[in-house]
Amino acid sequence: MMSKFFFYYSTMNAGKSTILLQVSYSHFQNKMNVIIFTSILDIRYGVGVVKSRKGLISNAIPIYDNFNLFKYVSIYIKHKYLNCIFIDEGHFLKRSHVYQILDIINFFNISVLVYGLRSDFLVEPFEGSMYLMSLAESIIEVKNICFCGKKATMNVRIDDCGKKIISGSKIKIGGDDIYSSVCIYHYFNFNI
């Protein structure tokens, strides 16, 4: 079987982690070995934990800036067969991580499925997303909807009063409490 590089992207609250956990569980049910990775930056549920808003949860290997995915997988497969790799919060990957994913796919013939955001709350690409969009063989949008019913394609960061924030740190971990997924119209016309 040929390996493949997948990037599943969407806005916040679209169910990316839920899909990752469901698909990885299907692999487990079929007696396949998988590794789940996630960013060290998202510690809302603990270090190395992927949890969906629906309550699905799994332990994961945390990825930090200097983490070498290729080296980790190389050591892992010396001891255990590996069928597939899942990565949550893929937008937080560094360029080097994305190229390590390519090496894993090409050297070990293992498929890698990455889930993440396309852009931040200022509609700027994340480093990881930029390289994932450029290098993944299959790019799949996980659909989400705006409060108006149109397709949500943007993430708005909101303050405690529900007003749009237009500056600040690129990375601020949070969920429904600080982000809203909206269509392009409501991104540029939020709070009107």
Side-chain angles (χ1 to χ4, degrees), residues 62-81:
I63 300 173
Y64 46 89
D65 284 355
N66 295 325
F67 187 83
N68 189 315
L69 288 158
F70 183 81
K71 184 176 179 181
Y72 185 93
V73 170
S74 298
I75 293 167
Y76 183 94
I77 63 172
K78 286 181 181 179
H79 307 287
K80 197 171 189 178
Y81 185 77

Side-chain angles (χ1 to χ4, degrees), residues 22-100:
Q22 288 174 332
V23 175
S24 67
Y25 184 73
S26 292
H27 280 69
F28 173 76
Q29 286 289 90
N30 287 303
K31 310 289 190 246
M32 295 180 184
N33 289 322
V34 303
I35 298 175
I36 301 173
F37 292 99
T38 192
S39 173
I40 191 75
L41 297 175
D42 189 351
I43 56 170
R44 287 176 288 175
Y45 311 111
V47 174
V49 175
V50 175
K51 184 176 179 185
S52 74
R53 286 173 180 78
K54 291 187 175 220
L56 301 175
I57 190 166
S58 179
N59 289 323
I61 307 300
I63 300 173
Y64 46 89
D65 284 355
N66 295 325
F67 187 83
N68 189 315
L69 288 158
F70 183 81
K71 184 176 179 181
Y72 185 93
V73 170
S74 298
I75 293 167
Y76 183 94
I77 63 172
K78 286 181 181 179
H79 307 287
K80 197 171 189 178
Y81 185 77
L82 183 60
N83 296 93
C84 192
I85 295 170
F86 296 88
I87 302 175
D88 199 27
E89 305 293 346
H91 47 282
F92 291 139
L93 295 173
K94 298 295 182 190
R95 176 183 184 271
S96 59
H97 295 135
V98 178
Y99 277 94
Q100 290 163 17

Side-chain angles (χ1 to χ4, degrees), residues 140-173:
I140 301 110
E141 181 181 19
V142 178
K143 304 279 194 284
N144 198 4
I145 58 169
C146 178
F147 61 86
C148 71
K150 291 183 182 176
K151 181 172 138 182
T153 57
M154 310 285 178
N155 301 302
V156 173
R157 187 181 291 169
I158 52 177
D159 64 18
D160 293 339
C161 299
K163 300 290 183 190
K164 180 179 177 181
I165 296 173
I166 57 170
S167 65
S169 171
K170 183 176 199 69
I171 298 171
K172 183 171 183 173
I173 305 300

